[in-house]
Amino acid sequence: KGMAENDNALHVVYINTSLETKAVSNSIVPTITCTSSNVMSTILQASVEVPDVKILYGPDTYMGDNLVTMLTSILDAGWDDD
């Protein structure tokens, strides 16, 4: 998909991702590099600063699965922005 199809999309990639993967990703959608210690704060900050952001995460499947588990737990607990 080109940039026009990725309005409000942000790709968050793990620091150890190859430079080639980061470059290709960034050519398609804005990309931020993160570490395991700041991935959650990076995602939460982006969701606050960019209206209707669509956050893509990868290619670290293990960390991605952990993020889904954590965010699902928060939503299941009845989190409310108010």
Side-chain angles (χ1 to χ4, degrees):
K1 293 183 178 181
M3 283 298 294
E5 296 179 45
N6 290 303
D7 289 343
N8 294 333
L10 175 68
H11 189 193
V12 178
V13 295
Y14 186 60
I15 190 104
N16 290 341
T17 303
S18 74
L19 184 57
E20 179 181 4
T21 299
K22 291 175 190 174
V24 169
S25 175
N26 196 52
S27 73
I28 299 168
V29 64
T31 302
I32 295 177
T33 300
C34 68
T35 65
S36 56
S37 64
N38 73 358
V39 64
M40 183 60 87
S41 61
T42 299
I43 288 172
L44 292 174
Q45 188 67 38
S47 68
V48 168
E49 292 185 16
V50 181
D52 300 318
V53 69
K54 178 181 179 182
I55 298 175
L56 311 168
Y57 181 80
D60 188 312
T61 304
Y62 180 72
M63 189 180 298
D65 288 344
N66 286 339
L67 287 170
V68 168
T69 299
M70 288 174 23
L71 293 169
T72 300
S73 296
I74 291 169
L75 293 173
D76 289 347
W79 179 267
D80 186 353
D81 288 341
D82 297 326

